[in-house]
Amino acid sequence: MRIIHTSDWHLGNRLQEKTRTEEFRDFTEWLLVQLREQKSDVLLISGDIFDNSTPGDSTLELYHDFLSKADQTGCRYIIMTGGNHDGVAQLESSAPLLKRHHAYLVSSLSRDNLEKCLIPVADEAGNPAALVCAVPYLRPREVAEESSDSETDDAYIRGIAKVYEEVAQQAEGWKSAHEGLPVICMGHLSVSGAEVTDSTRRLIGTLETVNAGIFSPVFDYVALGHIHKGYSLAEGRIAYSGSPLPMGIDETADRHVLLVEISEGKVTREKLAVPSFTLHVKHSCATQEELDTLPDRLSTQEAEAGSKRTNLQLVYTGTDLSVEQLRTKAYKMFHRLYNYKLIVNRPGMYMELNDEDNVQDLSTLTPESLFEKCLEKYNLEAAELTAIKNCFRQALDSLNN
């Protein structure tokens, strides 16, 4: 059985205030090619499909477009779980559409409905081939155990462990009836020992960490999500695929999905490197001379990465240029880029300036075009945009009359 394991897509995410729809589309198109070329039987997406609980229309369109195309690659099962960023109501609203794409989704789980996470997988002939225990992100109100007298005993962590214990018991029953067939477990949580980047920490907050011992040996492979850096434990039996696209400037290295093959009880993993569709890069300069060399350095990096677009974070620590001089100079040097952010970090001053903040003669803009530029910073749905623009026009009309 061949499985592609991925997680933490965060569709709809904005990096340095820039919409990333095209970058996400590049990734999903690349993944469709991998599903076909790798002859994958199952695709696992272990939570945080979306970046927030109310994704916009363009994000939902990308999601459904991917599912419809994935169904045509020969991959027989697409199994997804909800993450802490996903909205349960939003995920479930599209659930009726999933069956036509051979897709399965477990958005939430509680102690009294554990059977909903058990998804039997069949081979091409319809014979049992594996069992996937698709456990989503577990919310405290759904699984927390009763409190105890011990100050160090966390009711939430004990509740998580109890759920995985009970899921493992059901998996053992299935495995005893299907000797030799694998059981795969999915999860969206933080396991002790995993490496956490600063960007991941900002996104996941301070969610509790569990011990890897909660995953029973009955699970031949544990496909985890939640941590954005790929990481494995227990000699690869437990693994994070990491987010396929960087969620921060500090997460650009080693973006991949995992190709997992289970044969005769043995599990092997292989990284499938995700191309750098956008070059996300950070540079620091302390003088005007250093700044002047940056375009050439960027050109070299762009050529090496083969990226379609560049997103630059520039930190300027020197005091030889005023903020206005820096702003104007940065615009002249980097306005060709897909996006850039200038951070002025000097004693007594810290300012962040996006590429939209460049100097422009306001006389060249109409009130309507200036207002639309402001709206570009927000990921609004079409209906919301229309309503806001109509209100703005009414306000303009009342002023002009």
Side-chain angles (χ1 to χ4, degrees):
M1 172 170 291
R2 293 171 70 82
I3 300 166
I4 287 184
H5 164 206
T6 179
S7 72
D8 296 274
W9 290 12
H10 287 275
L11 297 177
N13 174 265
R14 297 167 69 93
L15 187 52
Q16 295 196 158
E17 303 303 318
K18 188 69 173 182
T19 301
R20 308 175 69 185
T21 303
E22 292 305 314
E23 188 177 7
F24 284 119
R25 182 172 288 110
D26 288 339
F27 164 67
T28 55
E29 292 295 333
W30 173 85
L31 184 56
L32 290 170
V33 173
Q34 302 310 307
L35 290 173
R36 185 176 294 108
E37 292 185 350
Q38 300 297 338
K39 297 180 172 57
S40 175
D41 301 297
V42 180
L43 170 65
L44 304 178
I45 308 177
S46 298
D48 280 354
I49 302 165
F50 299 110
D51 195 55
N52 58 67
S53 59
T54 55
D57 290 344
S58 60
T59 299
L60 290 172
E61 180 182 0
L62 177 63
Y63 168 66
H64 290 293
D65 182 62
F66 169 77
L67 292 178
S68 65
K69 291 178 179 177
D71 191 29
Q72 303 168 27
T73 63
C75 181
R76 297 193 306 280
Y77 291 84
I78 303 169
I79 302 177
M80 303 175 287
T81 57
N84 57 299
H85 277 249
D86 296 311
V88 173
Q90 176 61 59
L91 288 179
E92 292 183 347
S93 68
S94 61
L97 301 174
L98 299 182
K99 290 184 179 179
R100 69 179 64 178
H101 302 313
H102 299 97
Y104 301 80
L105 168 68
V106 182
S107 56
S108 64
L109 197 66
S110 60
R111 296 278 294 279
D112 58 0
N113 66 350
L114 295 181
E115 67 283 348
K116 70 182 285 188
C117 79
L118 305 178
I119 302 173
V121 172
D123 60 21
E124 293 181 353
N127 301 313
L131 178 69
V132 175
C133 302
V135 182
Y137 170 67
L138 300 171
R139 291 169 171 78
R141 66 177 181 274
E142 297 166 339
V143 302
E145 293 273 275
E146 294 182 3
S147 60
S148 71
D149 295 333
S150 172
E151 294 182 358
T152 60
D153 198 8
D154 191 301
Y156 181 31
I157 292 177
R158 287 188 292 117
I160 291 173
K162 189 66 175 177
V163 167
Y164 280 95
E165 178 186 345
E166 294 177 359
V167 169
Q169 290 173 356
Q170 297 199 33
E172 287 170 354
W174 184 92
K175 200 164 191 174
S176 64
H178 302 84
E179 187 175 354
L181 297 184
V183 174
I184 299 100
C185 182
M186 301 172 69
H188 191 88
L189 71 175
S190 181
V191 175
S192 301
E195 298 183 19
V196 182
T197 64
D198 289 340
S199 296
T200 302
R201 192 173 290 108
R202 285 194 296 271
L203 280 171
I204 70 177
T206 56
L207 296 179
E208 284 78 357
T209 299
V210 303
N211 189 283
I214 70 170
F215 302 113
S216 166
V218 73
F219 302 132
D220 295 276
Y221 180 71
V222 181
L224 296 179
H226 193 44
I227 303 299
H228 295 168
K229 183 174 182 178
Y231 192 83
S232 64
L233 305 97
E235 299 181 344
R237 184 179 72 92
I238 303 169
Y240 287 99
S241 64
S243 58
L245 297 181
M247 294 296 114
I249 295 294
D250 63 332
E251 290 187 356
T252 56
D254 192 21
R255 299 295 100 191
H256 61 263
V257 301
L258 293 174
L259 176 63
V260 182
E261 187 160 8
I262 302 178
S263 178
E264 298 180 353
K266 294 183 179 180
V267 179
T268 58
R269 293 182 305 111
E270 175 187 349
K271 292 181 180 180
L272 301 179
V274 177
S276 176
F277 305 110
T278 298
L279 175 63
H280 299 284
V281 63
K282 177 179 180 178
H283 282 286
S284 295
C285 296
T287 65
Q288 184 174 180
E289 288 73 19
E290 287 183 19
L291 182 59
D292 289 339
T293 66
L294 188 51
D296 288 339
R297 285 187 283 163
L298 273 180
S299 296
T300 300
Q301 287 182 295
E302 289 170 336
E304 291 175 349
S307 305
K308 295 182 178 180
R309 52 190 82 87
T310 298
N311 181 20
L312 167 68
Q313 182 182 109
L314 170 60
V315 180
Y316 198 84
T317 59
T319 58
D320 55 346
L321 293 171
S322 69
V323 172
E324 197 61 32
Q325 288 173 323
L326 272 173
R327 187 201 302 261
T328 303
K329 192 175 184 65
Y331 175 69
K332 290 179 178 178
M333 298 174 78
F334 307 121
H335 74 275
R336 68 173 182 84
L337 301 181
Y338 175 68
N339 185 44
Y340 72 85
K341 173 179 281 189
L342 169 62
I343 298 176
V344 183
N345 188 5
R346 57 178 60 153
M349 177 183 290
Y350 183 91
M351 295 179 64
E352 296 186 2
L353 304 170
N354 292 325
D355 65 347
E356 290 93 346
D357 299 321
N358 60 65
V359 177
Q360 185 169 0
D361 185 356
L362 292 181
S363 66
T364 64
L365 296 175
T366 65
E368 292 86 349
S369 61
L370 179 58
F371 186 65
E372 289 188 1
K373 281 184 173 293
C374 294
L375 291 178
E376 289 175 0
K377 295 186 176 184
Y378 303 95
N379 187 23
L380 299 174
E381 297 184 359
E384 293 175 313
L385 278 173
T386 300
I388 291 173
K389 288 179 180 179
N390 286 339
C391 289
F392 182 74
R393 292 190 189 98
Q394 291 174 12
L396 275 182
D397 290 343
S398 64
L399 288 174
N400 293 331
N401 296 328

